[in-house]
Amino acid sequence: MKKFRRNKKIGLALGGGAALGAAHIGVLKAFKEMQIDIACISGTSIGAFVAAFYANGMDWEEIGKIAEDIKWLDLSGISLSGLGLLSNEKMGKLIEEQLGKRNLEEGNIPIALIATDICSGEKVVMKTGSVADAVMASTCIPGVFTPVEINGRMLVDGGIVENVPISPLKEMGADVIIAVDLNAANKPRKPGNIVEVLLRTFDFLIQSISIVQKEKADIRIEPDLSEYNMVEIKQAPDLILEGYHAAMIVLRKTLRAK
């Protein structure tokens, strides 16, 4: 496992994983306790949701409060389009309620969010423009949510092309890239509803490509979340602890003082 010094510019990549994303908040808590500054951050899907708040000045406790109070009805509503079961416009409104109508380039630290052009299959790296729109696009699970249109492109979840978004961080000047993968450990589980069927199918499709992409990270944090499901939001407090403990183990092993 690679070690790093505190004077290096750290880039943090937060991967997708639906409701498992609360574990990212615990990772941020560990970074704060270890007094490690994050120079730039990237996010895909739920990782984009967490990264957007962090890049705009919220600490792990504030983000944790949002995660613990949130309900599915706060994030989604019935779609009037034939392109998805639900709309995630409510997620965009939640972000604007918390942050205001901010653009990605106005954040406290550089941020890049990943989406997929559903027409061409191309990866779309968003570093400018509306924070709310970018998060909506990155979290737009195909079949579950209606695609989000930005600059004439129909965008869906970035997990299709890069579920753990490592590639933008080098371009943003990171010396050391730390990747957080929420899907490293899986356990056979009977889905309980159609949304979970779609989420698990999506997860299976992206696992193989994620293995290859993660190898480009210098350090990986991979909490074992196999006992949790991808839908239940009430798991947030426990997931925060799982992310925190996993991150602390890795950071203590890899950190060297100046």
Side-chain angles (χ1 to χ4, degrees), residues 112-186:
L113 305 183
I114 305 295
T116 306
D117 185 321
I118 195 60
C119 297
S120 67
E122 294 177 315
K123 177 168 66 179
V124 178
V125 180
M126 298 172 288
K127 298 180 183 178
T128 60
S130 165
V131 173
D133 288 350
V135 173
M136 285 170 55
S138 186
T139 58
C140 187
I141 302 164
V144 177
F145 294 120
T146 303
V148 177
E149 186 170 338
I150 298 178
N151 297 328
R153 307 182 82 167
M154 292 182 69
L155 304 182
V156 296
D157 199 298
I160 298 171
V161 287
E162 192 169 7
N163 194 50
V164 184
I166 295 164
S167 65
L169 295 174
K170 282 290 185 186
E171 299 172 9
M172 297 165 76
D175 299 313
V176 177
I177 294 175
I178 301 177
V180 185
D181 181 11
L182 304 177
N183 301 299
N186 280 282

Side-chain angles (χ1 to χ4, degrees), residues 173-222:
D175 299 313
V176 177
I177 294 175
I178 301 177
V180 185
D181 181 11
L182 304 177
N183 301 299
N186 280 282
K187 182 178 182 179
R189 184 188 303 278
K190 183 179 179 180
N193 54 59
I194 187 173
V195 173
E196 193 167 0
V197 169
L198 290 168
L199 285 172
R200 289 185 63 78
T201 302
F202 184 65
D203 183 44
F204 293 146
L205 290 172
I206 64 178
Q207 280 180 25
S208 57
I209 190 170
S210 293
I211 291 172
V212 176
Q213 292 171 340
K214 285 189 302 181
E215 293 177 356
K216 298 177 183 177
D218 298 299
I219 296 164
R220 297 197 295 268
I221 298 172
E222 300 174 325

